[in-house]
Amino acid sequence: MIGVTENLAKTNALVTKLCHDYERDAGAVRLIAVSKKHSAEAIAAVAACGQHDIGENFVTEALDKRAALADIASLNWHFIGALQSNKTRSVAENFDWVHTIDRLKIAERLNAQRPHHAAPLKVLIQINIDGETSKSGIAQDAAIDLAREIVQLPSLELRGLMCLPRPTATLTEQRQPFARLAALRTQMSDALGCALPDLSMGMSGDLEAAIAEGATQVRVGTAIFGPRPTTAGGN
Ligand SMILES: *Cc1c(COP(=O)(O)O)cnc(C)c1O
C-alpha cells in the first residue's frame, strides 16, 4: 500500500497548491477518497494517513468494507453512486453523507429510515449539469423545488449540490459546468433563505477546474488508489 499512501500525499499537496493558486482558504476543500472496487485494506492504508472521508458507489460492496473496518471509528462514509429505492435503508443506517439525491421519493425514504439516535444525514442534490438525457441528476430548473421539499425533512440536512459533468479536455471547458453548479447553488441559497455550504465537484481528471470554481468537496479515486479493476464489483 506504499503507492496508495504516496498518491494520497501527492493529492493532498495538489489540493493545497490549487487552493493557494485560486485564492481559496487552506482547508476549504475536503478530499473524499473514492474507493469503489478497491479493497478494505486500501481504505485502512489511507485512514492510517489521516484520510477519513471515504466515497463509495455500491451499497453492498460498501457495507462489506464498512464491516471489515468497523474498528476504525473515525471514518466518514459518503455515498456517491446511483441510489435505488430498495437500498435506501442500508444507506440511511450506514452512511454519513449522500451526494446523489435527485428525486423526492429517495429523500423521503432516507428521512424516514434514518435512525433516530443518529445525526441528520447530510445530503447533496445531484444536478444533471449538462442536460444529458441518459444521465442521473435532476434538471437545473427543477432543482429549487426539490430543495424546498428536502429542507422540510427533519432527518436530512441539505448541504448543497453535486455534479458529474461530461468529460471534456481543456481547463476552460471543464470549468463551465462547475461554474453553472456554483451559480445554481447561489440562486438556490437565496431562494430558500438558507446557507448551502457545499459544492461536491471534481474528480482525478478535473480537480483544478473544480477548485477554481469553488468546490468544497472533491471526489478522487484513481489518483489515490490507481486504476480500478474492471471485473469485480457491482451492487
Ligand atoms: C468513481 C467516481 C469518482 C472518482 O473518479 P476518479 O476519476 O477515479 O477520480 C468521483 N465521483 C463519482 C460520482 C464517481 O463515481
Side-chain angles (χ1 to χ4, degrees):
M1 295 297 159
I2 297 206
V4 170
T5 56
E6 280 178 358
N7 291 346
L8 175 67
K10 281 188 194 149
T11 303
N12 274 317
L14 178 59
V15 169
T16 302
K17 176 191 181 297
L18 291 170
C19 284
H20 179 263
D21 290 352
Y22 289 97
E23 300 180 340
R24 306 280 314 275
D25 287 342
V29 180
R30 180 196 294 238
L31 176 64
I32 300 172
V34 175
S35 47
K36 61 170 177 263
K37 304 203 178 181
H38 291 285
S39 65
E41 289 73 22
I43 298 174
V46 296
C49 302
Q51 174 61 40
H52 293 146
D53 285 286
I54 305 299
E56 287 280 348
N57 291 62
F58 305 106
V59 176
T60 308
E61 178 191 328
L63 296 190
D64 288 347
K65 291 182 217 173
R66 196 177 186 278
L69 298 167
D71 53 330
I72 311 179
S74 57
L75 296 179
N76 292 319
W77 293 89
H78 297 251
F79 189 77
I80 64 168
L83 182 50
Q84 307 302 326
S85 302
N86 63 349
K87 297 277 170 64
T88 52
R89 181 174 297 280
S90 299
V91 170
E93 291 176 349
N94 291 286
F95 282 81
D96 304 288
W97 291 78
V98 177
H99 291 232
T100 49
I101 305 285
D102 62 1
R103 54 196 196 276
L104 184 58
K105 182 184 175 193
I106 295 291
E108 287 176 337
R109 290 179 66 90
L110 291 169
N111 178 63
Q113 293 166 343
R114 181 70 170 170
H116 293 296
H117 57 80
L121 184 62
K122 297 183 178 74
V123 300
L124 300 138
I125 297 176
Q126 183 177 359
I127 307 295
N128 183 352
I129 201 68
D130 293 313
E132 295 168 280
T133 46
S134 62
K135 219 36 189 300
S136 40
I138 189 168
Q140 281 190 73
D141 59 9
I144 292 180
D145 285 340
L146 176 61
R148 279 189 215 286
E149 303 276 359
I150 291 176
V151 293
Q152 307 296 323
L153 302 174
S155 294
L156 302 187
E157 179 184 344
L158 181 62
R159 293 283 308 194
L161 304 178
M162 175 272 203
C163 73
L164 192 56
R166 173 186 337 119
T168 51
T170 67
L171 180 63
T172 308
E173 290 172 295
Q174 289 175 354
R175 286 182 67 155
Q176 289 163 6
F178 296 147
R180 290 200 293 278
L181 195 75
L184 179 61
R185 187 262 302 258
T186 304
Q187 204 190 333
M188 185 180 279
S189 175
D190 291 348
L192 270 60
C194 69
L196 294 171
D198 284 303
L199 287 174
S200 168
M201 55 190 200
M203 315 194 289
S204 300
D206 53 16
L207 203 56
E208 176 169 358
I211 290 176
E213 295 296 344
T216 65
Q217 306 195 320
V218 292
R219 311 177 308 267
V220 178
T222 309
I224 297 173
F225 295 108
R228 286 179 280 279
T230 47
T231 48
N235 216 9

